[in-house]
Amino acid sequence: MLETLRERLQAHHPRYLNADLPRAAVLLAIVERREPTLVLTRRAGHLAQHGGQVAFPGGKAELEDADLWATALREAHEEIALPPSHVTCLGRLSDVISRHGICVTPFVGLIPPDLPLRPDHNELDTIFEVPLTWFLEDRRSHTDVIRHGEHTYYVPSYAYADHVIWGLSAMMLVELLAVGFARPISLDRAPLGSPLRHLPAPPPPRS
């Protein structure tokens, strides 16, 4: 499973955005267990932005970062104490623009099991793992319909335990599932049998 994922991501041609926007990077860390899992975090409830939301480890690029991969590794180390030397890059996914006008680059990495990960409680409430097979079965609770300009996106919303995985993180997951695992899932069409929830369009990026 994971070797096929690596091959597909290496052959993938993700979308690069050259927008004049602040840059950020996140890490989709897959734990190399017998049943591989994906590492997610829940943002601390006291944060002014994204408080209580589920996300992948990551954040804004800093001047000292050599590149966006370095940004993802640094942020993952700061947020969940993931040693950069323990992460093997499998590939990257397409750039996406957040509701706050930040261009985010997702990277997919492989990490060994049972690392002593711990959350930075200034930023996170908790760290948790979700089996990849759970996402491969597309166990969405509903689909968020988001119109952006002339385009309509159908973004899955997943409820796992007491966590809700939606929005930008779910958009990244769709590409991971479609490209890395050849799942018949897309942001461009409504899935059969899923309730639709129409969300307001995001604000235009700040100039």
Side-chain angles (χ1 to χ4, degrees):
M1 172 193 257
L2 295 180
E3 186 55 38
T4 299
L5 171 64
R6 184 198 306 267
E7 292 172 359
R8 287 174 173 163
L9 288 178
Q10 291 298 315
H12 181 43
H13 298 285
R15 180 181 66 252
Y16 289 77
L17 298 178
N18 294 317
D20 185 19
L21 296 170
R23 306 291 303 202
V26 300
L27 179 65
L28 281 67
I30 296 174
V31 185
E32 195 173 7
R33 301 190 185 279
R34 184 174 180 179
E35 183 179 359
T37 59
L38 190 62
V39 176
L40 291 122
T41 68
R42 190 176 66 223
R43 309 293 293 173
H46 66 261
L47 294 177
Q49 287 189 354
H50 311 300
Q53 291 186 10
V54 168
F56 296 109
K60 289 185 179 179
E62 302 288 351
L63 290 177
E64 65 267 22
D65 296 335
D67 50 29
L68 289 169
W69 170 243
T71 298
L73 292 179
R74 175 183 54 76
E75 286 284 341
H77 184 244
E78 292 174 0
E79 289 189 353
I80 65 172
L82 174 60
S85 60
H86 286 61
V87 186
T88 300
C89 185
L90 299 182
R92 59 156 283 173
L93 303 175
S94 297
D95 293 340
V96 291
I97 298 178
S98 76
R99 291 178 65 89
H100 298 282
I102 299 172
C103 186
V104 184
T105 300
F107 292 92
V108 183
L110 187 64
I111 65 174
D114 305 321
L115 292 174
L117 304 179
R118 60 184 184 277
D120 173 3
H121 288 293
N122 292 318
E123 297 191 39
L124 304 177
D125 281 338
T126 190
I127 305 167
F128 65 100
E129 298 179 26
V130 180
L132 273 176
T133 53
W134 192 86
F135 287 119
L136 290 169
E137 294 168 359
D138 196 8
R139 297 191 185 187
R140 69 180 74 195
S141 57
H142 66 271
T143 300
D144 291 322
V145 183
I146 305 172
R147 188 162 182 82
H148 191 289
E150 298 301 314
H151 200 94
T152 300
Y153 297 96
Y154 297 90
V155 184
S157 180
Y158 300 102
Y160 182 82
D162 59 344
H163 307 291
V164 177
I165 305 153
W166 66 289
L168 211 66
S169 297
M171 293 176 75
M172 298 171 189
L173 270 170
V174 166
E175 186 175 9
L176 175 66
L177 298 174
V179 172
F181 298 98
R183 302 303 298 161
I185 184 172
S186 173
L187 295 173
D188 298 324
R189 61 179 182 271
L192 296 175
S194 174
L196 302 182
R197 184 180 70 172
H198 292 263
L199 299 183
R206 296 187 300 271
S207 59

